[in-house]
Amino acid sequence: MALHAVEFPPATHDFQTFLGQAEPNMQVVLHGYIGQRADLSKKLSFVRLTDPTMKYSIQVVAFGKNDATEKLKSLNAHSPVAVRGKVQKKKGKNTDAGDKPAEEKWELALEDVHPLNDFPKDIIMTPETVFAPEHRYLQLRSDAELRDALQFRAEVRNECKKELENCQPPFVEIETPLLFKSTPEGAREFLVPTRRAGLAYALPQSPQQYKQILMASGIPRYFQFARCFRDEDLRADRQPEFTQLDLEMSFATGEDVMRTIEGVVRRLWANLMQDPAPEGPFRRRSYQEVMAKYGSDKPDTRYGMELMRLDHLLPADLVMKISPLENPIVEAFKLESQNNDPAATLKFIGQFLDSPAGAPFNNNPDGGPGVFVYNGKQPLCGLQPFGFEAAEQIEELLEPDHGDLIIIQARPRAPFAGGATPVGDLRRALHGHAVSAGFSPSPTGFDFMWVVDFPLFSPSSDSEPGQGGAAGFSSTHHPFTAPKTAADVDMLLADPTKVVADHYDLVVNGVELGGGSRRIHDAAVQEFILRDILQMKPERLVDFEHLLDALRAGCPPHAGLALGFDRLVAVLLGKESVRDVIAFPKTGKGGDDAMVRAPSPMTEEALETYHLRLRK
Amino acid sequence: MALHAVEFPPATHDFQTFLGQAEPNMQVVLHGYIGQRADLSKKLSFVRLTDPTMKYSIQVVAFGKNDATEKLKSLNAHSPVAVRGKVQKKKGKNTDAGDKPAEEKWELALEDVHPLNDFPKDIIMTPETVFAPEHRYLQLRSDAELRDALQFRAEVRNECKKELENCQPPFVEIETPLLFKSTPEGAREFLVPTRRAGLAYALPQSPQQYKQILMASGIPRYFQFARCFRDEDLRADRQPEFTQLDLEMSFATGEDVMRTIEGVVRRLWANLMQDPAPEGPFRRRSYQEVMAKYGSDKPDTRYGMELMRLDHLLPADLVMKISPLENPIVEAFKLESQNNDPAATLKFIGQFLDSPAGAPFNNNPDGGPGVFVYNGKQPLCGLQPFGFEAAEQIEELLEPDHGDLIIIQARPRAPFAGGATPVGDLRRALHGHAVSAGFSPSPTGFDFMWVVDFPLFSPSSDSEPGQGGAAGFSSTHHPFTAPKTAADVDMLLADPTKVVADHYDLVVNGVELGGGSRRIHDAAVQEFILRDILQMKPERLVDFEHLLDALRAGCPPHAGLALGFDRLVAVLLGKESVRDVIAFPKTGKGGDDAMVRAPSPMTEEALETYHLRLRK
């Protein structure tokens, strides 16, 4: 049986301490990974020893024919070792220069090397190697940026924590259970069967109910880095488990929460980023406004391309050409050309629409995008299809320059619902494509914004279970969100779909960093919304009894928020995917952990333990 | 529809700030809970307003007949309110004394009160009320000690974190997945079925495998406050989910880990406790030694009562009287009497053995305890049954005083296995009973100890699934624990049950605060132990492939530990139960959350979603 390092010499120093204290003839034992060996002669070899943090390294010199040299020569690069040696000044030019880093000033004359494990010869590992997800450990080991991201993530966490704990009164970090109960809050929950036949816990989609109960429990301010779970189809960048910075304040409104979060953001940007966040409170925009202006409830506002309503201007025959809809709303936006070259613009938009990214827009059942390139050399500058009068007004509205792209898009005449309109998605996709194709400059900086005044309810969707009520609509966020004003409360009976929620989303650069709301703290109102507005069945209503009881026991008003922590770290680091800031992300479409191969088959024995059987 | 506080005036101050800045005629709005109202006349009422943190309060005076007074009078005690008023000096004697706390110097002349919710009249809430577990929010709200425990817990967390982050090189907080995979590590795991028929995640019993993979990934030092899950029968004080402070170090041995943890403990005691922890490294005792001396692998060593072997001294007929066993081991211990009164001792032990606590010891199939009271007034001082010679030697061994209790107990002649012997349990139970009955003084202080040199394997038990191998024994802790020395590695083949593990438990005052080990970092050794020693089936062995692959990729040696965080906080606060330091503990025998009523029935729809059916 091959055997390594049951006993091995302890390091006399960590590298950082060693490099600060090194002097000639010092005897040291250092731990680390050896690099590629260079054999200068039969009697002289060099190898770099990198420390366990992989932040420092030092040159090791093996001279002469001896056991230590032989052992060193038997080791593969990247193998962990303990090296015993004597410190000496590094030879060569400029090694005496005072500004030389300590790593370049000193070297170690090898006296002994203790192999601690073998790095296999058949694994090729360079800083550039991209490993398959099942070899995440190799990716982490070879990719300093990924390891640094995990360390940065810990720093982000600490900064958030410090800000919240320095508030007056301070937020207190409190853990809430993960073995919770299935309640119809909105998302699909993972179940955890128990050994009592038919009974299961559910993993929480957020600590929402527990934190509200904390507010009813005399805890004035709570926060937690909470693991949350949603059993949803893995979209581009969602994980079935994720971390949120979750907080709640009693005797508070959304104003208090937004102020608190602005403090957190400001601290993060001040302490961890190159430039601080902009001064003053973040601006606020209503859901209706951002949907009209950007076709998205989390718009990137840094690159213009604002939407304009054109339907009142357009000739009927043009509308018929771009959409099968009766009396649609038509919106337009402009994408500026950098070099005022209509041909290049045409080529760019053609490429986009022919690409897979363009397909969903071409296939929009409400009609594809209408494409125009503003061209001073053409009749009506290329806006001829609009007719003279409309073309003039469009010029006034969009102020296009030679070579600019104008897109028009129809949609049904209906109130905004959901997170984006197709033209909003088109705006985003087209801009992303323009940046990567070099057609548009990459936007810079961070543009923070609160999106507020969401509708309290939205039409039920097939993909989200919602609250399972019979009303035909569901809570836009969750059923605990308070109506915004007394007038909104009155509107509950008259027309629930018109009720505005006291909900706020923090948006930066097209990313929703988090969202929160003032909560309903009046048991009667909460019960009324669940029972009479959402028309939840009595057997599901009873699942919320604990919350109603807690509210009834004199619960103070309260409000809170959750920041998507994975996403926040990704934004701070400028990463596209949260996978780059999670040690072991799920990677597959089905939420697979490719490395450990989870999920895995349930054994018959396990099924029996939980009184379960597979359906055929 | 009753409706409260959709809009309410913001507080002008939090209480702490207000009390620091108060001056006459200041106009303020304060949020808080009102107390019991005292009506001194029809025109004059007093009520105490307690702030949202429930740490400060101030007197509110309502004078005259007006709307504000009427509103105040309509409110029940404990209701949350916003109070507008004018600051004035509190009347009465001694209010000018400089050392008066600000809360007693000032009062608020009521100008308006804004009710924010009602506290129901039918709930009786005093600081002493004990509420049923389903009303945990009322317990939290009425019980300042419980709320303070949660805040203290957050402080403990911060101190641990600071200590680890200040190490050189620092530990980095890294989150590992909770949707893991079922592997035969030792405890029974909760499963989380997925929508892919037959496939499930498992909730981790600890982050053990992920943290070892981090060590293979070039992360030198990791920590995490990790939620862990075990589907075991709820014993006295176990929770199906619990938190551990989990850490791991690469290029490290158990020595490094123990030193690190001693630093954490020292910092906690220095910063949060009245007296610092004792100086110097914590003493170490082997498993064999503490089992022999205390009959427990986590003994409370503060009160003596050490076990002595007597079997070589005892006459055969006495042995036959106390045990049906052939050639048993017999151990004895002494419980000192405080007042040297043999009658009182007899009464005490009689009560104990007749109580439910005594029953398991009386019913020990290896024989009940033999009870002797040392009594100078009796022949051979009450040790007559031992015979003259043995009695003399027992006197020399135990040095009893008049009135002291001597207990002897037989057990089979076999090596130690498991956490305690019956006589060890008896020692602990008897001492506990003696303290609560006032027979013995309550032990004080903290006696820290590392228990080391555990056997690597223990006989398989029915209650723990172990690794499900065919060897008849299982890993004592988990199958990743390294053998202690090269000689132990050699012993693997000769006699696995004799192999000593490089495992260490931190024990204080009879409580195991945590445990850890050096891990096997050599893939061949790990595979050999899983396959050849534990005799795991190939289909289970494959579940560890990810770990073996990671070790194989040049993983450095590593060691780590996990502190039971709930338990640690309970010990620091002197609480008997971890439930007193968890916001929402599971309380029922079956792991029930009585408040939210979890676990709850799975709906037919949910079962169908996960391709499951209940067994009949």
Side-chain angles (χ1 to χ4, degrees):
Chain A
M1 173 171 44
L3 183 68
H4 287 102
V6 172
E7 286 139 16
F8 59 93
T12 52
H13 303 75
D14 69 275
F15 262 54
Q16 204 188 334
T17 308
F18 161 68
L19 291 170
Q21 299 176 351
E23 53 182 61
N25 296 320
M26 198 171 159
Q27 287 278 356
V28 296
V29 177
L30 295 178
H31 291 166
Y33 303 97
I34 54 164
Q36 290 292 349
R37 199 181 61 256
D39 296 326
L40 262 68
S41 73
K42 278 194 181 166
K43 290 176 80 178
L44 183 63
S45 299
F46 293 101
V47 65
R48 199 105 200 137
L49 177 70
T50 301
D51 88 316
T53 71
M54 291 198 249
K55 290 190 161 52
Y56 306 97
S57 66
I58 192 166
Q59 182 163 283
V60 176
V61 190
F63 183 71
K65 273 200 134 186
N66 53 46
D67 273 9
T69 305
E70 289 312 301
K71 274 203 271 179
L72 184 71
K73 288 190 174 175
S74 72
L75 296 173
N76 298 332
H78 308 301
S79 294
V81 293
V83 168
R84 189 158 57 76
K86 198 191 282 184
V87 178
Q88 59 191 31
K89 282 223 170 155
K90 200 171 166 184
K91 280 139 200 136
K93 35 182 179 170
N94 297 330
T95 48
D96 275 330
D99 57 348
K100 202 93 189 161
E103 297 174 81
E104 294 307 317
K105 253 193 229 161
W106 306 102
E107 61 184 21
L108 218 55
L110 180 73
E111 295 184 342
D112 196 9
V113 56
H114 198 107
L116 302 177
N117 207 346
D118 288 326
F119 190 83
K121 271 199 179 127
D122 58 338
I123 301 178
I124 309 299
M125 185 165 73
T126 73
E128 292 74 37
T129 318
V130 174
F131 293 94
E134 50 266 45
H135 298 123
R136 183 72 173 176
Y137 42 91
L138 289 171
Q139 192 66 54
L140 281 160
R141 193 163 155 202
S142 63
D143 185 345
E145 193 175 329
L146 184 51
R147 289 196 312 277
D148 288 348
L150 298 182
Q151 193 168 334
F152 182 82
R153 181 182 172 117
E155 286 164 29
V156 174
R157 198 173 163 124
N158 284 350
E159 293 293 338
C160 292
K161 194 176 158 72
K162 273 184 216 156
E163 176 70 19
L164 293 173
E165 291 181 341
N166 286 341
C167 283
Q168 188 48 256
F171 286 79
V172 177
E173 192 167 9
I174 295 178
E175 296 175 66
T176 57
L178 293 184
L179 295 176
F180 181 48
K181 185 179 71 161
S182 178
T183 66
E185 231 185 83
R188 184 184 291 113
E189 302 148 317
F190 286 106
L191 295 180
V192 183
T194 69
R195 279 178 286 150
R196 284 188 285 163
L199 297 188
Y201 299 108
L203 298 176
Q205 45 190 289
S206 90
Q208 183 65 32
Q209 295 179 54
Y210 280 115
K211 73 174 172 175
Q212 289 194 242
I213 293 171
L214 281 177
M215 298 300 105
S217 304
I219 305 290
R221 291 175 169 198
Y222 138 96
F223 80 101
Q224 181 182 199
F225 292 91
R227 200 70 64 86
C228 304
F229 303 85
R230 283 181 204 174
D231 182 13
E232 55 192 358
D233 298 312
L234 283 187
R235 278 175 263 171
D237 207 10
R238 294 267 191 115
Q239 295 277 318
E241 57 178 314
F242 55 95
T243 301
Q244 64 188 34
L245 169 51
D246 192 55
L247 58 86
E248 196 78 13
M249 315 167 70
S250 73
F251 293 94
T253 62
E255 295 296 326
D256 301 297
V257 175
M258 286 188 265
R259 205 162 41 233
T260 302
I261 293 298
E262 287 172 5
V264 170
V265 167
R266 228 171 272 294
R267 183 188 184 101
L268 289 174
W269 261 256
N271 292 357
L272 300 177
M273 301 293 279
Q274 201 163 5
D275 300 309
E279 304 234 330
F282 300 160
R283 71 181 192 287
R284 300 189 191 169
R285 293 291 178 266
S286 76
Y287 170 79
Q288 298 298 337
E289 186 180 344
V290 292
M291 288 296 286
K293 230 172 179 171
Y294 305 102
S296 167
D297 66 357
K298 45 173 195 279
D300 190 338
T301 47
R302 295 173 301 168
Y303 52 79
M305 295 174 73
E306 289 181 15
L307 308 181
M308 308 276 175
R309 280 281 290 274
L310 291 191
D311 33 300
H312 57 295
L313 302 175
L314 299 190
D317 61 327
L318 177 59
V319 173
M320 275 174 63
K321 268 186 209 153
I322 63 160
S323 173
L325 295 171
E326 189 78 27
N327 189 25
I329 287 172
V330 181
E331 292 159 310
F333 66 85
K334 175 186 77 177
L335 173 64
E336 287 177 8
S337 154
Q338 298 302 297
N339 50 11
N340 303 106
D341 175 355
T345 303
L346 258 180
K347 191 179 159 204
F348 161 73
I349 184 67
Q351 277 176 343
F352 172 74
L353 289 173
D354 290 345
S355 76
F361 305 108
N362 284 327
N363 302 332
N364 184 343
D366 299 334
V371 173
F372 304 86
V373 175
Y374 194 75
N375 187 339
K377 292 174 186 157
Q378 286 191 354
L380 286 183
C381 296
L383 303 184
Q384 214 170 18
F386 292 100
F388 178 78
E389 205 169 340
E392 202 165 50
Q393 288 183 282
I394 288 168
E395 281 183 321
E396 241 169 73
L397 274 174
L398 295 175
E399 301 181 337
D401 280 334
H402 186 61
D404 287 356
L405 177 67
I406 294 170
I407 300 279
I408 68 172
Q409 175 66 51
R411 64 176 171 90
R413 191 165 294 272
F416 290 119
T421 57
V423 70
D425 289 337
L426 176 57
R427 170 183 175 272
R428 189 175 45 74
L430 190 61
H431 179 262
H433 194 77
V435 169
S436 56
F439 186 81
S440 296
S442 196
T444 57
F446 293 92
D447 191 12
F448 297 94
M449 176 170 70
W450 290 107
V451 177
V452 298
D453 295 353
F454 285 82
L456 189 58
F457 304 104
S458 296
S460 293
S461 107
D462 292 339
S463 65
E464 298 269 334
Q467 294 80 42
F473 51 78
S474 295
S475 299
T476 305
H477 294 95
H478 56 56
F480 318 117
T481 311
K484 182 140 183 172
T485 63
D488 288 303
V489 177
D490 293 340
M491 185 65 81
L492 276 175
L493 276 169
D495 185 354
T497 64
K498 292 220 172 74
V499 176
V500 172
D502 199 349
H503 179 99
Y504 32 85
D505 270 355
L506 177 59
V507 172
V508 63
N509 299 359
V511 175
E512 182 203 317
L513 282 184
S517 56
R518 191 163 55 76
R519 326 300 185 181
I520 298 165
H521 74 286
D522 182 307
V525 175
Q526 183 65 75
E527 193 168 350
F528 177 77
I529 285 189
L530 295 174
R531 183 198 309 271
D532 298 313
I533 305 291
L534 291 169
Q535 297 179 37
M536 228 174 244
K537 285 184 200 153
E539 64 266 30
R540 290 308 271 168
L541 195 58
V542 81
D543 289 336
F544 290 113
E545 208 53 54
H546 56 277
L547 182 65
L548 295 172
D549 283 347
L551 298 181
R552 210 170 274 130
C555 179
H558 54 284
L561 174 138
L563 288 179
F565 189 67
D566 308 306
R567 173 65 56 206
L568 172 65
V569 178
V571 164
L572 282 158
L573 285 175
K575 298 286 181 195
E576 278 295 310
S577 170
V578 296
R579 291 179 204 168
D580 295 330
V581 301
I582 296 175
F584 300 111
K586 304 282 187 282
T587 49
K589 277 253 167 192
D592 282 20
D593 183 328
M595 185 183 74
V596 303
R597 270 154 256 159
S600 65
M602 288 181 271
T603 62
E604 189 51 35
E605 198 191 338
L607 284 165
E608 208 182 314
T609 301
Y610 295 109
H611 312 281
L612 296 171
R613 201 188 287 287
L614 283 186
R615 281 173 198 249
K616 285 287 167 306
Chain B
M1 175 172 40
L3 184 67
H4 288 100
V6 172
E7 286 139 16
F8 59 94
T12 52
H13 302 76
D14 70 274
F15 261 54
Q16 205 187 334
T17 309
F18 162 68
L19 290 171
Q21 299 177 348
E23 53 181 61
N25 296 320
M26 199 172 157
Q27 287 277 356
V28 295
V29 176
L30 296 177
H31 291 163
Y33 303 98
I34 53 164
Q36 288 294 349
R37 198 180 64 255
D39 295 326
L40 262 69
S41 72
K42 279 194 180 165
K43 290 175 81 179
L44 183 62
S45 299
F46 292 100
V47 67
R48 199 104 200 140
L49 177 69
T50 302
D51 88 315
T53 71
M54 291 197 245
K55 289 191 161 56
Y56 305 98
S57 67
I58 192 167
Q59 181 162 284
V60 175
V61 190
F63 184 71
K65 275 200 131 183
N66 54 45
D67 272 11
T69 305
E70 288 313 301
K71 273 203 272 179
L72 184 71
K73 288 190 174 176
S74 72
L75 295 174
N76 299 331
H78 308 300
S79 294
V81 292
V83 168
R84 188 159 57 75
K86 198 191 281 182
V87 178
Q88 59 192 31
K89 283 227 168 151
K90 198 172 167 186
K91 280 139 199 132
K93 33 181 181 173
N94 296 330
T95 48
D96 275 330
D99 58 348
K100 202 92 189 162
E103 296 174 82
E104 294 309 317
K105 253 193 227 161
W106 306 104
E107 61 184 19
L108 218 56
L110 180 73
E111 294 183 342
D112 198 8
V113 56
H114 198 108
L116 302 178
N117 207 344
D118 287 325
F119 190 84
K121 269 199 177 125
D122 58 339
I123 301 179
I124 309 299
M125 184 166 73
T126 73
E128 291 75 37
T129 317
V130 174
F131 293 95
E134 50 266 45
H135 297 123
R136 183 72 173 175
Y137 43 91
L138 289 172
Q139 193 68 52
L140 281 160
R141 198 171 147 193
S142 63
D143 185 345
E145 195 176 327
L146 184 52
R147 288 196 312 279
D148 287 349
L150 298 182
Q151 193 167 334
F152 181 82
R153 180 183 174 114
E155 288 163 29
V156 175
R157 197 173 162 124
N158 285 350
E159 293 293 338
C160 293
K161 193 175 158 71
K162 273 183 215 158
E163 176 69 19
L164 294 173
E165 292 181 341
N166 286 342
C167 285
Q168 186 52 257
F171 286 79
V172 177
E173 191 168 9
I174 295 179
E175 296 175 67
T176 56
L178 293 184
L179 295 176
F180 181 47
K181 184 179 71 161
S182 180
T183 66
E185 233 186 81
R188 184 182 291 113
E189 301 148 317
F190 286 106
L191 295 179
V192 183
T194 69
R195 279 178 285 151
R196 284 188 286 162
L199 297 188
Y201 300 110
L203 299 176
Q205 46 190 290
S206 90
Q208 183 64 33
Q209 295 178 54
Y210 280 115
K211 73 175 172 174
Q212 288 194 243
I213 294 170
L214 282 176
M215 297 302 104
S217 303
I219 304 290
R221 294 176 168 196
Y222 139 96
F223 80 101
Q224 179 182 200
F225 291 90
R227 200 68 65 85
C228 304
F229 304 85
R230 281 180 203 177
D231 182 13
E232 55 193 358
D233 298 312
L234 283 188
R235 279 175 260 171
D237 208 11
R238 295 266 192 114
Q239 296 277 317
E241 57 177 314
F242 55 96
T243 301
Q244 65 188 36
L245 170 51
D246 191 55
L247 58 85
E248 196 80 10
M249 313 166 71
S250 73
F251 293 93
T253 63
E255 294 297 325
D256 301 296
V257 175
M258 287 189 265
R259 205 162 39 235
T260 302
I261 292 298
E262 287 173 7
V264 170
V265 167
R266 228 172 272 294
R267 184 189 183 102
L268 288 174
W269 260 258
N271 292 357
L272 300 177
M273 302 292 280
Q274 201 163 3
D275 300 309
E279 303 233 330
F282 301 160
R283 72 181 191 287
R284 300 191 191 168
R285 294 291 177 266
S286 75
Y287 170 78
Q288 298 298 339
E289 185 181 343
V290 291
M291 287 298 284
K293 228 172 181 172
Y294 305 102
S296 167
D297 65 356
K298 46 173 195 275
D300 190 337
T301 48
R302 294 172 303 164
Y303 52 77
M305 296 174 72
E306 290 180 13
L307 308 181
M308 308 278 174
R309 280 283 289 275
L310 291 191
D311 33 299
H312 56 296
L313 301 176
L314 299 190
D317 62 326
L318 177 59
V319 174
M320 276 174 61
K321 268 186 209 150
I322 64 159
S323 174
L325 296 171
E326 189 81 25
N327 189 24
I329 287 172
V330 180
E331 292 159 310
F333 65 86
K334 174 186 78 176
L335 174 63
E336 287 178 7
S337 152
Q338 298 302 298
N339 49 13
N340 303 107
D341 175 355
T345 304
L346 259 178
K347 192 179 156 202
F348 162 73
I349 184 67
Q351 276 176 346
F352 172 75
L353 289 173
D354 291 345
S355 75
F361 304 107
N362 283 326
N363 302 331
N364 184 343
D366 298 335
V371 173
F372 304 87
V373 176
Y374 194 77
N375 187 336
K377 292 175 187 153
Q378 286 190 356
L380 287 183
C381 296
L383 303 184
Q384 215 168 17
F386 291 99
F388 177 80
E389 205 170 339
E392 202 166 49
Q393 286 183 283
I394 288 168
E395 278 182 325
E396 241 169 74
L397 274 173
L398 295 174
E399 302 181 335
D401 281 332
H402 186 60
D404 285 358
L405 177 66
I406 294 170
I407 300 277
I408 67 172
Q409 174 66 53
R411 64 176 172 88
R413 192 166 294 270
F416 290 120
T421 57
V423 70
D425 288 337
L426 175 58
R427 170 184 176 273
R428 190 176 42 76
L430 191 62
H431 178 263
H433 194 76
V435 169
S436 56
F439 185 81
S440 296
S442 196
T444 56
F446 293 92
D447 191 12
F448 296 94
M449 177 169 69
W450 290 107
V451 178
V452 298
D453 294 353
F454 285 81
L456 189 58
F457 304 105
S458 297
S460 293
S461 106
D462 292 340
S463 64
E464 297 270 335
Q467 293 81 42
F473 51 78
S474 295
S475 299
T476 305
H477 294 95
H478 56 57
F480 319 118
T481 311
K484 183 141 184 172
T485 63
D488 288 303
V489 177
D490 293 340
M491 185 64 81
L492 275 174
L493 276 170
D495 185 353
T497 65
K498 291 220 172 73
V499 177
V500 172
D502 199 351
H503 179 99
Y504 31 84
D505 270 355
L506 177 59
V507 172
V508 62
N509 299 359
V511 175
E512 180 204 318
L513 282 184
S517 56
R518 192 164 54 78
R519 327 298 186 179
I520 299 164
H521 75 287
D522 181 308
V525 176
Q526 182 66 75
E527 194 169 348
F528 177 76
I529 285 190
L530 295 175
R531 181 200 311 270
D532 299 311
I533 306 290
L534 292 168
Q535 298 178 35
M536 231 176 241
K537 287 184 197 150
E539 64 265 31
R540 292 306 272 166
L541 195 58
V542 80
D543 289 336
F544 290 113
E545 210 51 55
H546 55 278
L547 182 66
L548 295 172
D549 283 348
L551 297 182
R552 208 170 277 129
C555 180
H558 54 284
L561 173 139
L563 287 178
F565 189 68
D566 307 308
R567 173 66 56 204
L568 172 66
V569 179
V571 164
L572 283 158
L573 285 176
K575 298 286 182 195
E576 277 296 310
S577 171
V578 296
R579 292 180 203 169
D580 295 330
V581 301
I582 297 175
F584 300 111
K586 303 284 189 279
T587 50
K589 277 251 167 194
D592 282 20
D593 183 330
M595 186 183 74
V596 303
R597 269 156 256 159
S600 66
M602 288 181 270
T603 62
E604 190 50 35
E605 197 190 340
L607 283 165
E608 209 181 311
T609 300
Y610 294 109
H611 311 282
L612 296 170
R613 202 188 288 287
L614 282 186
R615 278 172 200 251
K616 285 289 167 310

